Amino acid sequence: MTEVYLILASDTDAEALLSIQKNAFLPLFESYQDGNLNPYSETLEQMKQHINEGYFYKIMLNDCLVGGIMARELEKDMWKLRIIFIEQEFQGKGIAQTAIGLMEKIHSDVNEWVLDTPHDLYKNHHIYEKCGYVRTSEITPVNERLALIHYRKKR
């Protein structure tokens, strides 16, 4: 039986999380060439800062670290799912969808969630829509290769 669960990350997890994040985002960095915006470009110090300023969780699969997920409060009752990443070998197994559900359950008092994702990552769109997120009409251009589309979920 496989079990997915979340554990609040700490500074001691930063190197491992950064390594998984870089592996997960390298293909997107190469495709979009979005410089400092892409999580692939983050430094260890930036990872530690994210861990300390938001709700950053390790995504665990049977006691094995396979990814990370972070949310941040934007305003009262509205949070942003800032990042989710899964080690490449574990992608496509429903772990991200489960992690999103767990994050929402941990923060069950949040009435509205928002997120953004690349315009052409249809597998991400599918995952978010399966989790109940609805695409908004908002689009944020980043460069000639990349635009971010926005999703929203209200309870």
Side-chain angles (χ1 to χ4, degrees):
M1 180 177 177
T2 58
E3 180 187 10
V4 175
Y5 58 97
L6 304 181
I7 298 175
L8 201 56
S10 69
D11 281 351
T12 59
D13 302 310
E15 282 188 49
L17 285 165
L18 184 63
S19 176
I20 295 170
Q21 179 175 289
K22 284 185 175 290
N23 289 338
F25 282 96
L26 177 60
L28 300 179
F29 178 77
E30 292 173 341
S31 177
Y32 299 129
Q33 298 178 10
D34 53 338
N36 293 331
L37 181 66
N38 192 298
Y40 172 80
S41 301
E42 285 189 357
T43 66
L44 182 59
E45 285 308 311
Q46 288 171 313
M47 174 61 77
K48 287 179 181 179
Q49 181 179 352
H50 292 313
I51 288 170
N52 290 315
E53 70 186 18
Y55 290 91
F56 205 125
Y57 295 88
K58 300 183 292 184
I59 300 173
M60 307 296 292
L61 175 66
N62 295 335
D63 299 329
C64 177
L65 175 63
V66 297
I69 185 169
M70 179 188 177
R72 188 176 284 153
E73 185 176 15
L74 296 179
E75 57 188 62
K76 184 169 173 41
D77 293 332
M78 179 191 283
W79 283 44
K80 180 174 186 175
L81 181 59
R82 188 191 160 276
I83 192 169
I84 182 168
F85 55 91
I86 307 294
E87 184 72 72
Q88 287 187 16
E89 68 185 271
F90 294 101
Q91 292 178 6
K93 300 181 184 313
I95 296 170
Q97 184 177 342
T98 300
I100 291 168
L102 291 170
M103 174 70 88
E104 292 172 353
K105 187 175 181 180
I106 290 168
H107 300 283
S108 60
D109 57 331
V110 175
N111 290 320
E112 186 172 0
W113 290 88
V114 296
L115 61 87
D116 52 55
T117 192
H119 68 285
D120 60 349
L121 285 185
Y122 303 112
K123 69 178 185 173
N124 287 15
H125 304 179
H126 179 72
I127 291 167
Y128 298 138
E129 290 166 9
K130 281 179 72 174
C131 291
Y133 288 77
V134 177
R135 184 176 170 173
T136 70
S137 59
E138 190 178 352
I139 298 175
T140 305
V142 175
N143 63 31
E144 63 279 350
R145 292 184 172 100
L146 174 63
L148 297 176
I149 61 172
H150 301 268
Y151 279 86
R152 181 173 304 269
K153 179 179 182 178
K154 293 185 179 183
R155 292 195 185 257

